[in-house]
Amino acid sequence: MTVFKTSESPYKVNNTASNMCGFTLMNNQVGAIIAEVMAGKENVTVTPLPSMIRVDAKGRTDLVYAEVDEAAGEEEGWFNAAEFEESMSTHYGRMIHEDDRTIMFANPEDAAEYLDFDLKVIR
């Protein structure tokens, strides 16, 4: 008879705020270009995986469309929110699309000014 030794799971529940936000991308040509641009940002960690690319940021990060255009060698205006949404499979944190960028916030209250949300009402 074989006896299996059980060990404690490395996965734990932790309900404390992480101050993180991010998204996953398809691991294709456009996803690789977005990841390359995001990897150059100070507070961002990019993790390539076999079928996706994970992008995690502390606090806030901006995906500036003109930076992706430049990295892709495309004319300005090629990359936009629709192109980003097509390449992205999921996200966490508050996402705000502006005309020239997508902003990710770890803390939803930090996005209040972009959403015309009055924080005084809830405090």
Side-chain angles (χ1 to χ4, degrees):
M1 170 191 262
T2 305
V3 177
F4 294 99
K5 182 180 177 183
T6 60
S7 61
E8 192 173 328
S9 172
Y11 304 105
K12 305 283 184 220
V13 174
N14 184 343
N15 293 330
T16 59
S18 67
N19 195 35
M20 299 291 290
C21 57
F23 50 89
T24 57
L25 299 163
M26 289 190 293
N27 195 350
N28 62 15
Q29 295 87 344
V30 176
I33 293 167
I34 298 168
E36 177 186 316
V37 168
M38 296 306 292
K41 299 188 183 288
E42 196 171 296
N43 62 331
V44 173
T45 302
V46 174
T47 308
L49 299 164
S51 63
M52 66 180 174
I53 303 169
R54 185 177 168 126
V55 178
D56 298 294
K58 288 188 183 216
R60 170 191 168 151
T61 192
D62 292 39
L63 173 60
V64 179
Y65 304 151
E67 292 174 357
V68 178
D69 289 335
E70 185 178 329
E74 295 287 344
E75 290 183 28
E76 192 168 327
W78 167 75
F79 190 78
N80 55 33
E83 190 73 37
F84 176 55
E85 291 275 355
E86 190 174 307
S87 296
M88 179 188 63
S89 55
T90 189
H91 76 278
Y92 67 102
R94 177 69 69 187
M95 179 186 297
I96 305 294
H97 290 302
E98 294 282 293
D99 290 338
D100 68 334
R101 69 189 64 222
T102 295
I103 309 168
M104 298 290 304
F105 294 94
N107 184 348
E109 288 82 12
D110 294 341
E113 69 180 87
Y114 295 91
L115 301 170
D116 293 328
F117 188 74
D118 188 357
L119 289 174
K120 290 180 257 176
V121 173
I122 60 172
R123 289 188 185 175

